[in-house]
Amino acid sequence: MYDNTIKLLKKSSTVNDYGTPVEKITSEREVFAEIASISMKESYEALAVGHHPEIKVIIQDAIDYDGERYARLADIEYLITRTYRKDLSIELTLERVNDNGST
């Protein structure tokens, strides 16, 4: 059930010498998770407000989540756009981050 791993990432933003914003990973932790699909209803509701949710992950123990805003699964980086606490677990909705950092 929780046989996949996902990396939870914290980032900080700085500005380089050229005035360009640069994000740097400040924390990276690996936790066990279950991979779930986005329902059709969730997908349509998110699209109506400009989001493109791609995947859902469920972390068995919510204590393993510390407010991270990014996650990496199979070498793909995602923005955590929604969290939902259910009993002891927590569900994270993920949206793919493009190479330029946007979703």
Side-chain angles (χ1 to χ4, degrees):
M1 195 164 172
Y2 295 95
D3 56 354
N4 296 288
T5 58
I6 185 168
K7 292 183 180 178
L8 299 174
L9 313 170
K10 285 188 178 180
K11 294 183 176 186
S12 67
S13 264
T14 59
V15 177
N16 67 15
D17 294 340
Y18 303 105
T20 306
V22 178
E23 286 191 327
K24 178 182 175 185
I25 295 173
T26 57
S27 171
E28 184 173 325
R29 298 180 309 110
E30 193 168 44
V31 297
F32 286 100
E34 176 184 349
I35 307 299
S37 297
I38 301 292
S39 72
M40 187 179 302
K41 180 182 180 208
E42 287 174 309
S43 182
Y44 284 128
E45 288 174 352
L47 286 170
V49 293
H51 287 284
H52 304 281
E54 191 165 318
I55 196 165
K56 226 184 321 191
V57 296
I58 302 163
I59 299 173
Q60 184 174 12
D61 194 342
I63 201 162
D64 287 335
Y65 178 70
D66 189 30
E68 290 89 350
R69 295 290 299 141
Y70 295 90
R72 185 177 296 128
L73 177 64
D75 292 326
I76 299 171
E77 194 168 305
Y78 296 91
L79 175 66
I80 299 170
T81 57
R82 180 180 173 271
T83 61
Y84 175 69
R85 178 92 185 252
K86 185 176 180 184
D87 299 323
L88 296 176
S89 66
I90 190 162
E91 179 182 285
L92 309 176
T93 302
L94 308 179
E95 189 170 321
R96 188 183 295 239
V97 175
N98 296 328
D99 292 337
N100 64 2
S102 65
T103 55

